Amino acid sequence: MKEEHLGNSQQSLVSNNEDQVVPAKTLVQYIAASAAALGILASGMTLGWTSPAGDNGKNLQSLYGINISSEEFSWISAIAPVGATLMCIPTGILADTIGRKYSMLLMVVPFTIGWLLIICANSVLMFCVGRFINGLCGGAFCVTVPIYIAEIAESNIRGTLGSFFQLHITVGIFITYVLGSIVNMRILSIICAIMPLIFFGTFMFMPESPIYYLKKGDVDSARKSLIRLRGVQYNVENELQSHKDALVENNTNTTPFWTVLKSKATVKGFIIAYGLMFFQQMCGVNVVVFYADSIFEKAGSALKSDYSAMIVGAIQIVAVCVSTLVVDRAGRRILLLTSIIFLCLTTCALGIYFYLLQINEDVSTIRWLPLASICIFIIMFNVGFGPLPWMMTGEIFPAEVKGVAASSACFLNSALVFVVTKYFSNVSQIIGVGETFWLFSVVCAIGTVFVYLLVPETKGKTLEEIQRELNGS
């Protein structure tokens, strides 16, 4: 009854006027994608939580009365990506076993426990355990949300809906930046703990992925799911048959793992997904996100560091909104190329500034450079390399192996987040902050070549057409 009601209400909420910004038949797709992405918003709040904690967690120390060394705070920051890394592969298996929807809903319980540990922490260990559990849940959402959105969306709006992933991450980070300047860290943690509950109350009413049902041989449930997503006036039979044909075409008698190894399309998918995830993290974005406050303090910015961080967070949201509007018009490749070229230039500029500081040059005339460079970096990251690797990971793998394949790409991403976050301080102390940013710049230059030579355009193509193209058909 709920499925029929949602499908019928879709038609009544929005008229069939073709001039509507969001046509009736796509409304439920927008709602479902937005509801799923609330889990990503909760994960974004986990990412941004370390910034208002202050340099070496000074705000945590004063509030909780716990002595935290710089090494201990680096682990509090970096332990969440460790949890995400360990959760990626199990989540892919879980998503293929019990479904995309219930895999996400299941994460609410540990997510809440993780925040409760942080709220009630009386030791560094409790902070670390809570952050580790929150990282587990964040990793699970990073695997399942792109898959879910790619599988429920029509090809002409898949890019827009796929951008919801990065949009909600940036909104989550921005919320923690703003609230962190208003309330203390314990109240901030309580607010963060509420978000997974909001996700649960919203997403539990959304449909399961029709492709998941087809994988399980449940054609009737797949049909009902498509009707809810497309509307009762939409003839779902052609789309249903297209998905069924694609599953039959890619089906073999071997396990999904061996299917991945043998299929030309999925091998190419791994190269593309792993490459995009590598360059997304090795461009240095999480250095900016995790250490925004301390970067501005060390740079001697005239603005208070928390205000500078809020500016960065607001710019992130605007940039992702721009990407959401243009990704299904401009295409993936041009946005990726434009994005990584600017990432290369801005990290080079940051390297120059910090190098001048290291050699005691007068930088008073270019105090604006760190904020300007980071703002441009954040804009261009969120226009291209922020949302698109996640979106394309949901697009480029066949349904039979998508859970395991996408989770392995997420595993790589989370491992790189840990490496960059944990060892940025160590590397910058050894070779210098300026030289570290130059290292990021070199990686971005290599990433430009990678995108130009290897990444295909998927704009406007069905999931089946993308597989045929990767297979050379």
Side-chain angles (χ1 to χ4, degrees):
M1 291 297 294
K2 287 180 181 177
E3 292 178 353
E4 293 174 2
H5 174 73
L6 184 52
N8 290 328
S9 65
Q10 178 189 13
Q11 300 299 321
S12 62
L13 287 172
V14 182
S15 72
N16 290 323
N17 187 341
E18 293 182 356
D19 292 330
Q20 289 285 348
V21 175
V22 181
K25 76 184 186 72
T26 64
L27 179 60
V28 172
Q29 295 172 63
Y30 275 86
I31 294 172
S34 298
L38 287 176
I40 292 297
L41 190 148
S43 302
M45 295 178 77
T46 299
L47 285 174
W49 182 85
T50 54
S51 185
D55 197 20
N56 292 327
K58 62 184 179 183
N59 295 333
L60 290 176
Q61 296 184 58
S62 60
L63 178 65
Y64 285 83
I66 302 171
N67 291 324
I68 303 174
S69 68
S70 59
E71 180 66 18
E72 287 172 335
F73 185 67
S74 73
W75 275 108
I76 292 173
S77 298
I79 199 70
V82 173
T85 302
L86 296 178
M87 193 62 184
C88 287
I89 300 297
T91 300
I93 298 171
L94 190 67
D96 283 340
T97 304
I98 68 171
R100 286 60 162 131
K101 176 179 177 178
Y102 291 107
S103 296
M104 287 186 270
L105 291 175
L106 191 63
M107 291 300 108
V108 173
V109 174
F111 221 152
T112 304
I113 292 172
W115 281 118
L116 287 175
L117 285 170
I118 292 172
I119 293 166
C120 303
N122 56 21
S123 66
V124 172
L125 179 61
M126 286 186 71
F127 280 124
C128 288
V129 174
R131 290 277 296 165
F132 178 78
I133 294 173
N134 289 349
L136 290 174
C137 302
F141 281 115
C142 287
V143 172
T144 48
V145 172
I147 295 175
Y148 178 80
I149 292 177
E151 291 182 347
I152 68 168
E154 294 175 274
S155 57
N156 63 318
I157 60 169
R158 194 174 60 242
T160 298
L161 297 188
S163 297
F164 285 9
F165 180 97
Q166 187 69 19
L167 176 62
H168 283 72
I169 282 184
T170 58
V171 170
I173 292 170
F174 180 68
I175 288 172
T176 56
Y177 284 175
V178 173
L179 292 178
S181 67
I182 300 172
V183 300
N184 64 45
M185 290 298 295
R186 183 175 277 116
I187 295 176
L188 174 62
S189 300
I190 292 171
I191 296 170
C192 290
I194 294 171
M195 185 50 61
L197 302 177
I198 295 174
F199 159 78
F200 184 89
T202 304
F203 188 64
M204 65 184 295
F205 299 106
M206 297 301 112
E208 176 59 274
S209 159
I211 294 178
Y212 165 75
Y213 281 133
L214 288 176
K215 284 184 61 181
K216 295 298 182 181
D218 191 348
V219 178
D220 287 339
S221 294
R223 181 179 291 109
K224 290 177 182 178
S225 179
L226 269 179
I227 289 172
R228 290 183 68 189
L229 291 163
R230 305 292 187 260
V232 294
Q233 296 182 2
Y234 180 86
N235 184 358
V236 302
E237 296 305 320
N238 288 338
E239 184 174 351
L240 194 65
Q241 188 60 47
S242 177
H243 290 316
K244 289 166 64 177
D245 291 343
L247 287 170
V248 171
E249 181 179 332
N250 290 314
N251 187 39
T252 69
N253 294 323
T254 57
T255 65
F257 177 75
W258 291 110
T259 302
V260 171
L261 291 183
K262 292 173 64 176
S263 168
K264 180 179 178 181
T266 47
V267 169
K268 284 185 178 179
F270 269 114
I271 294 171
I272 295 164
Y274 283 7
L276 291 176
M277 292 301 184
F278 176 84
F279 292 112
Q280 183 196 64
Q281 293 306 321
M282 296 307 292
C283 71
V285 62
N286 276 306
V287 170
V288 174
V289 172
F290 279 43
Y291 298 104
D293 282 6
S294 58
I295 284 176
F296 287 120
E297 286 177 5
K298 291 175 182 177
S301 172
L303 285 174
K304 288 181 63 176
S305 59
D306 53 348
Y307 291 158
S308 300
M310 279 190 278
I311 291 172
V312 169
I315 290 173
Q316 281 185 298
I317 296 173
V318 174
V320 179
C321 288
V322 171
S323 177
T324 300
L325 293 173
V326 304
V327 66
D328 281 321
R329 296 180 175 88
R332 281 57 155 166
R333 271 175 55 85
I334 187 64
L335 291 180
L336 285 170
L337 283 170
T338 304
S339 172
I340 200 162
I341 289 170
F342 274 93
L343 299 186
C344 178
L345 295 174
T346 50
T347 48
C348 182
L350 283 169
I352 292 171
Y353 182 87
F354 282 104
Y355 178 74
L356 292 175
L357 278 180
Q358 289 168 210
I359 61 175
N360 298 317
E361 288 287 336
D362 181 15
V363 293
S364 58
T365 58
I366 54 171
R367 289 287 184 193
W368 52 269
L369 184 60
L371 181 58
S373 297
I374 289 176
C375 287
I376 295 171
F377 179 99
I378 289 295
I379 290 171
M380 299 314 299
F381 178 82
N382 286 285
V383 164
F385 255 85
L388 297 184
W390 296 108
M391 180 195 309
M392 295 188 72
T393 297
E395 293 179 327
I396 60 179
F397 292 113
E400 300 83 1
V401 299
K402 188 174 290 186
V404 174
S407 63
S408 68
C410 180
F411 177 90
L412 174 64
N413 186 283
S414 299
L416 291 171
V417 171
F418 168 74
V419 170
V420 173
T421 305
K422 180 67 179 71
Y423 295 107
F424 166 72
S425 295
N426 303 79
V427 173
S428 62
Q429 288 173 8
I430 294 170
I431 67 173
V433 177
E435 289 84 349
T436 304
F437 277 108
W438 283 337
L439 184 61
F440 291 142
S441 184
V442 171
V443 171
C444 291
I446 297 171
T448 304
V449 178
F450 173 84
V451 173
Y452 182 78
L453 294 179
L454 296 177
V455 178
E457 180 57 74
T458 60
K459 180 187 72 171
K461 297 173 183 175
T462 66
L463 299 179
E464 293 74 29
E465 288 171 341
I466 293 169
Q467 286 305 301
R468 293 190 184 99
E469 181 176 330
L470 290 175
N471 241 339
S473 302

